[in-house]
Each structure stands twice: as structure tokens, then as C-alpha cells.
């Protein structure tokens, strides 16, 4: 039986993870997340008229808001996104 030489620690620099560049869709979704809490606050204070119609359409398309009986309401998905934002998970 032969003995092998002891292993030396690597002198190579550790690999650095580089995130892929953000896509326009990812940037848009992040912008919507950033505006979500403010939008929810406007709804809670019955000031929905101050919310941009295009923003509402985008939230509805993501299933974060929905129209119920002519009233804009946050969905369960939207509530969960808010909880994630408040807890710092996103």
C-alpha cells in the first residue's frame, strides 16, 4: 500500500455567483411589488381613484387584485405578496 501526499488547501479564489441580468418582465414585476403596499393603503383609505388605471390592470392580470361587485379588492395572492414584502422575503 502506498501513501498519497497530504492534500493542500486550494489556492484558487472561490467562485463568485453572478445573477443573470434582470429581464424587462422581472424588472416590471419588481416595480409592481415596490408599489403594492402603497396601493393597498390607498384602497384601505378608500382612495382607489388615485391609483393609475394601468397599474390596476397589471395587478388584476397578476391576480393580486380582482373586481368584486364593482369594487377593487386584494386577492389572497396579493395578501401573501404583501406579507412577503413586510417580512423582507422579497
Amino acid at each position: 500500500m502506498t501513501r498519497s501526499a497530504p492534500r493542500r488547501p486550494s489556492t484558487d479564489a472561490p467562485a463568485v455567483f453572478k445573477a443573470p441580468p434582470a429581464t424587462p418582465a422581472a424588472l416590471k414585476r419588481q416595480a409592481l411589488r415596490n408599489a403594492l403596499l402603497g396601493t393597498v393603503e390607498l384602497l384601505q383609505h378608500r382612495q382607489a381613484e388615485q391609483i393609475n388605471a394601468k397599474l390596476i390592470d397589471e395587478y388584476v392580470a397578476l391576480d393580486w387584485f380582482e373586481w368584486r361587485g364593482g369594487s377593487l379588492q386584494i386577492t389572497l395572492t396579493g395578501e401573501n405578496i404583501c406579507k412577503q414584502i413586510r417580512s423582507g422575503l422579497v
Side-chain angles (χ1 to χ4, degrees), residues 42-43 45-53 56 67 72:
L42 287 172
L43 282 179
H45 289 91
R46 304 206 183 281
Q47 298 174 341
E49 72 279 356
Q50 295 183 24
I51 304 169
N52 183 301
I56 291 172
W67 291 102
L72 186 63

Side-chain angles (χ1 to χ4, degrees), residues 13-39:
V16 176
F17 174 75
K18 291 184 181 179
T23 64
L27 293 173
K28 181 66 174 176
R29 184 175 275 245
Q30 187 59 46
L32 291 169
R33 284 181 190 270
N34 293 342
L36 183 61
L37 295 180
T39 304

Side-chain angles (χ1 to χ4, degrees), residues 32-81:
L32 291 169
R33 284 181 190 270
N34 293 342
L36 183 61
L37 295 180
T39 304
V40 169
E41 188 172 329
L42 287 172
L43 282 179
Q44 290 172 341
H45 289 91
R46 304 206 183 281
Q47 298 174 341
E49 72 279 356
Q50 295 183 24
I51 304 169
N52 183 301
K54 185 176 178 186
L55 186 63
I56 291 172
D57 291 342
E58 290 171 342
Y59 284 138
V60 169
L62 288 170
D63 192 37
W64 295 359
F65 287 93
E66 67 184 0
W67 291 102
R68 282 189 225 147
S71 177
L72 186 63
Q73 304 286 321
I74 190 166
T75 64
L76 180 60
T77 301
E79 289 177 10
N80 288 336
I81 298 292

